[in-house]
Amino acid sequence: MSTRTIVAMPGDGIGKVVLDEAIRVLNKAGFNADYIEGDIGWEFWRNEGNPLPQRTLDLITEHKIGLFGAITSKPKDDAFEALSPELQKKGLIYSSPIVGLRQHFGLDICLRPCKTYTGNPLNFIRRGPNDSIEEPEVDVAIFRQNTEGLYGGVEWSNPPPQVYDALMTHPKFKSNFGTAPVEEVSVSTRIFTKKYTERIVRAAFEHAKKYGYNSVTVCEKPNVIRETSGMMYKMAQNIQKDDFPTIELWNTNIDAQMMWLTKNPENYGVIVAGNMFGDIVSDGFAGLIGGLGFACSAQYNPETGIGVFEPTHGSAPKYADYPVSIVNPIAMVESSCMMLDFIDEQEIAGNIRKAVADVVQERKVQTYDMAKMTGRANVIEKGAASTTDMANAIIEKL
Ligand code: NAI
Ligand code: MG
């Protein structure tokens, strides 16, 4: 087996801890790789005025595969104040480096699977007939368009005259917003393009076919957001009819989907959505299978083969400085399994997933979230596993 080079980007806060633990698991599982550290995050914003330095982009261009922990993002004004006075003079504007990374490499396909672990004390339960308690098995794969839509960054406050004038040509803008003073208007656009909408919808259908899911649900809002959501749904209808006639196509609205989330989550298979609704619906389903400590993701560009794999959670700054880290590394470990799938190391991925499933089912080693404790430094004294304990338990099973 040849040695791979993986760009390891710990980022900020707990990102640093969980990535180290995941790499320890990968090593013990027999994955043969070198890890080169990629700089990203708050420290590089403060010291260099760039949270995503060019050298990190170069590393990813060269090695193609990245593992990412989490970054800390702050609002524009707070970010400006964090800069040294020297850098403040340069008129730099902070923007999230992980969003920047996705856009720079066109990592347009984001896959967030949410699958119940047998025996996880955090599994969703609901009341069934005659007051019985049911624990529905969730197994969904959410495909989120990762580069366009509401997170595309095309937005203005007090839009410049060309933009404002163009907006005024739209009768609805004119009648609903035309009387507001321009300096009181903020606009965030939701742009979908045919190429990338088709790519995410096709990726969803292909995944359904490959892994035997019988439905793909477009979770948008085409009855109201007619142009963008409408385009995605229409495209899904055509793709289903022409290329995947045996897979059912369902259409849900994001608001109704959130209501159904707890009513019948076991009914859904593959779900596809734009950037923001994909973000929402994936967090919703993650809550049913254990929350942020379990939610993993892959994001990749099918044309270039560049992929970055990361837990959905952020840097959880309030837990970052505990003398012993208490957060759950499973989301990061699972994200690295998605990396292994992507580079055709399914066997090692399968071994790690089995080890995680066994540890979860045994319930002997549980991080504070699994033990349903409030996340304080003293949870370790109360019997919760530390981040390292959990990784050790997984390693022991390998
Ligand atoms: P967060 O995901 O960092 O934390 C929210 C809460 O979830 C935590 O306080 C903790 O209770 C729980 N949690 C998160 N990860 C966990 C884990 N591995 N095990 C157990 N519990 C866990 O989100 P928050 O607090 O909204 O944001 C903190 C910072 O992270 C912000 O600066 C935000 O911008 C950034 N962020 C970065 C993301 C990324 O790097 N992809 C994604 C989300 C937020
Ligand atoms: Mg999110």
Side-chain angles (χ1 to χ4, degrees):
M1 194 167 51
S2 64
T3 306
R4 278 254 177 195
T5 301
I6 308 292
V7 183
M9 293 167 280
D12 302 308
I14 64 165
K16 296 182 203 273
V17 188
V18 292
L19 183 53
D20 274 355
E21 296 298 347
I23 292 175
R24 226 155 51 79
V25 172
L26 286 165
N27 285 336
K28 293 285 164 116
F31 177 53
N32 193 3
D34 291 328
Y35 297 89
I36 301 191
E37 189 156 326
D39 296 337
I40 190 167
W42 200 246
E43 188 188 330
F44 305 98
W45 165 250
R46 293 184 58 166
N47 299 333
E48 302 175 24
N50 183 1
L52 179 57
Q54 182 61 40
R55 57 186 179 276
T56 305
L57 299 175
D58 293 343
L59 280 178
I60 297 173
T61 306
E62 185 180 349
H63 301 293
K64 290 197 155 40
I65 304 294
L67 277 177
F68 170 78
I71 50 90
T72 296
S73 256
K74 293 190 187 172
K76 209 163 76 175
D77 296 348
D78 296 0
F80 181 76
E81 274 166 33
L83 283 177
S84 65
E86 216 29 59
L87 287 169
Q88 283 187 358
K89 287 187 207 133
K90 292 192 172 170
L92 303 165
I93 295 174
Y94 177 84
S95 63
S96 160
I98 184 62
V99 176
L101 194 105
R102 290 169 188 155
Q103 289 191 326
H104 181 87
F105 290 108
L107 306 176
D108 59 303
I109 310 286
C110 173
L111 167 57
R112 293 179 166 180
C114 295
K115 195 170 179 341
T116 302
Y117 286 88
T118 307
N120 188 348
L122 298 175
N123 285 345
F124 168 67
I125 54 172
R126 73 178 166 220
R127 209 178 285 283
N130 303 318
D131 273 355
S132 60
I133 296 295
E134 299 173 339
E135 189 174 316
E137 198 178 324
V138 176
D139 179 5
V140 299
I142 292 141
F143 280 80
R144 164 193 182 193
Q145 206 298 326
N146 216 26
T147 46
E148 302 193 326
L150 254 177
Y151 297 177
V154 183
E155 45 185 9
W156 301 267
S157 284
N158 189 7
Q162 317 88 295
V163 174
Y164 187 77
D165 293 347
L167 289 168
M168 281 296 255
T169 64
H170 195 291
K172 290 231 166 92
F173 184 87
K174 197 166 180 199
S175 63
N176 293 334
F177 307 103
T179 57
V182 59
E183 61 278 7
E184 292 179 16
V185 173
S186 290
V187 183
S188 300
T189 62
R190 187 178 204 259
I191 302 170
F192 283 26
T193 63
K194 188 165 178 254
K195 174 176 172 179
Y196 290 104
T197 305
E198 176 160 4
R199 253 157 75 144
I200 194 73
V201 172
R202 270 196 190 280
F205 274 102
E206 276 157 14
H207 189 87
K209 188 172 174 189
K210 186 168 172 189
Y211 294 100
Y213 291 93
N214 56 22
S215 67
V216 169
T217 302
V218 175
C219 177
E220 278 283 321
K221 187 94 184 171
N223 56 334
V224 177
I225 315 176
R226 291 169 189 282
E227 301 306 326
T228 47
S229 294
M231 171 163 87
M232 182 175 275
Y233 184 52
K234 184 85 214 141
M235 201 168 261
Q237 285 178 307
N238 291 336
I239 290 172
Q240 190 265 352
K241 184 160 62 69
D242 294 343
D243 299 328
F244 300 92
T246 59
I247 297 170
E248 287 178 40
L249 172 64
W250 300 349
N251 173 29
T252 59
N253 289 332
I254 177 71
D255 47 349
Q257 182 76 65
M258 287 292 108
M259 183 268 297
W260 286 322
L261 190 66
T262 51
K263 283 193 120 164
N264 58 356
E266 68 273 44
N267 289 3
Y268 296 93
V270 175
I271 296 177
V272 58
N275 209 335
M276 187 193 198
F277 295 161
D279 201 10
I280 293 172
V281 77
S282 59
D283 272 18
F285 274 96
L288 306 179
I289 60 126
L292 289 174
F294 290 85
C296 55
S297 78
Q299 34 194 2
Y300 56 92
N301 179 326
E303 265 169 277
T304 61
I306 292 179
V308 174
F309 303 83
E310 56 155 326
T312 352
H313 65 70
S315 61
K318 64 181 179 189
Y319 301 157
D321 296 327
Y322 288 176
V324 177
S325 172
I326 65 163
V327 297
N328 192 342
I330 289 179
M332 184 78 237
V333 170
E334 286 285 343
S335 303
S336 43
C337 290
M338 297 188 79
M339 172 192 79
L340 293 172
D341 288 342
F342 189 73
I343 58 177
D344 269 333
E345 295 280 4
Q346 282 90 352
E347 193 182 329
I348 302 177
N351 293 341
I352 298 176
R353 287 192 175 111
K354 168 94 176 49
V356 172
D358 287 350
V359 172
V360 173
Q361 186 160 18
E362 268 178 20
R363 296 197 183 192
K364 282 194 207 138
V365 179
Q366 298 190 324
T367 42
Y368 83 93
D369 50 331
M370 299 169 75
K372 303 184 190 231
M373 295 177 184
T374 307
R376 303 235 164 80
N378 68 357
V379 296
I380 307 287
E381 289 148 43
K382 293 187 185 162
S386 67
T387 311
T388 303
D389 294 336
M390 176 54 86
N392 285 342
I394 296 166
I395 287 168
E396 253 175 58
K397 295 279 177 201
L398 284 164

